[in-house]
Amino acid sequence: MRLENKVAIVTGGASGLGEATAKLFAAEGAKVIIADVLEQEGREIEAEISETGGIGLFVRLDVTDENQWEEVVATAVSRFGKLDALVNNAGISGSDPDMTNTVAWDRLMEINAKGVFLGVKTAIPELRKGGGGAIVNISSISGVIGQEYVHMGYSASKGAVRLLTKSAAVQYAGDGIRVNSVHPGVMDPMRTSKITATSRVRDQMLDSVPLGRVGTRLEVANAVLFLASDEASYITGAELMVDGGFTAN
Ligand code: NAD
């Protein structure tokens, strides 16, 4: 198993890509903390993981709250003894009908960018104690290119994730901590997607995907698994596109 004896936190683990990642990590032998604001969904996933013989634990976390971050990392240590990996996946969509909405900008930056910073900041001391570890930050193709139907704040937040990843990779390499970003392309819509969930916009976006189809959750989770595992031991500061060639176009 590729994550045997590892302890991992997956934020946004109660839905979508985070759920797929949490389940895959557990299937690969990790003890997984599912950290999310969605309590009922998170507990259901905890139960599903344990039904399949894995070890999962739901912990409520709002990624914008620094105190809650400290509690989640402390729970990983008290329940499972250590922390080896953090996946900063929680996020909200930028498909607000008003592309210049200032409240949306603030919220996007708060959850998608600051939430990742707080996760990195809180996990680093614990990863360092264990002699190293891996952080995988979920950005987006929107962190690399502009998109017509995506709020500027979403692109800015995902661009921030892309570069804070490289910054942390350089700063903590000496501690044996690898930090990489994953950039999903056109996937099933997020819970918070509006315009980009309409068939008109989805069809238009799909026209720009060389592989000609939507990506699956498992295809993203597999990329995250690789970067979190020891197979990626010489990879840090990298940005891995999981976009069917969208950004190669
Ligand atoms: P989703 O809406 O299904 O899942 C997002 C999860 O994040 C939810 O469980 C939600 O409760 C959680 N979350 C939101 N705000 C939170 C907060 N403040 N604290 C803790 N948890 C919070 O969407 P998804 O498609 O699974 O998206 C996962 C990640 O992938 C996001 O970062 C998203 O930006 C990124 N992404 C998604 C797509 C896509 O098309 N679905 C494409 C590129 C990137």
Side-chain angles (χ1 to χ4, degrees):
M1 288 203 272
R2 296 161 74 187
L3 294 179
E4 195 145 25
N5 299 322
K6 306 262 193 205
V7 178
I9 296 171
V10 179
T11 72
S15 171
L17 307 180
E19 174 185 343
T21 301
K23 288 179 173 171
L24 182 62
F25 275 29
E28 289 292 341
K31 299 180 180 83
V32 184
I33 293 199
I34 304 142
D36 205 302
V37 284
L38 295 177
E39 300 197 23
Q40 193 186 324
E41 291 83 347
R43 290 192 200 289
E44 281 167 11
I45 288 151
E46 175 190 288
E48 284 173 38
I49 287 175
S50 99
E51 276 159 25
T52 55
I55 299 176
L57 176 69
F58 171 75
V59 178
R60 193 188 182 282
L61 168 71
D62 179 337
V63 294
T64 66
D65 186 325
E66 195 160 352
N67 293 328
Q68 290 184 21
W69 263 112
E70 278 163 18
E71 284 166 24
V72 168
V73 171
T75 301
V77 176
S78 65
R79 289 292 295 268
F80 302 131
K82 58 175 182 162
L83 181 66
D84 300 294
L86 166 65
V87 180
N88 278 308
N89 161 84
I92 55 169
S93 167
S95 75
D96 193 294
D98 176 1
M99 295 292 175
T100 54
N101 181 343
T102 308
V103 175
W105 168 279
D106 288 343
R107 195 81 188 125
L108 285 161
M109 294 304 284
E110 186 81 5
I111 294 174
N112 293 0
K114 188 179 172 190
V116 174
F117 163 71
L118 292 177
V120 171
K121 169 184 171 165
T122 317
I124 290 285
E126 212 47 57
L127 295 173
R128 195 187 269 139
K129 273 188 212 163
I135 299 176
V136 183
N137 295 325
I138 309 304
S139 176
S140 165
I141 53 172
S142 302
V144 185
I145 54 166
Q147 286 186 279
E148 189 174 355
Y149 299 103
V150 174
H151 194 291
M152 286 177 273
Y154 186 78
S155 300
S157 69
K158 292 299 186 179
V161 170
R162 173 173 175 253
L163 275 181
L164 84 76
T165 296
K166 293 182 194 302
S167 182
V170 170
Q171 291 169 14
Y172 299 106
D175 296 307
I177 299 167
R178 298 181 298 99
V179 194
N180 294 291
S181 58
V182 167
H183 300 252
V186 184
M187 313 293 303
D188 282 346
M190 299 174 67
R191 285 171 176 263
T192 40
S193 293
K194 294 187 185 99
I195 304 172
T196 50
T198 64
S199 54
R200 179 180 66 84
V201 172
R202 288 182 68 73
D203 289 349
Q204 195 176 318
M205 286 164 67
L206 266 177
D207 282 345
S208 301
V209 181
L211 286 182
R213 65 170 175 84
V214 170
T216 69
R217 293 169 175 175
L218 185 58
E219 285 169 323
V220 174
N222 277 328
V224 179
L225 168 65
F226 167 65
L227 290 170
S229 78
D230 293 339
E231 291 163 24
S233 51
Y234 198 53
I235 302 177
T236 196
E239 47 191 80
L240 181 50
M241 303 298 151
V242 186
D243 67 353
F246 194 111
T247 48
N249 236 346

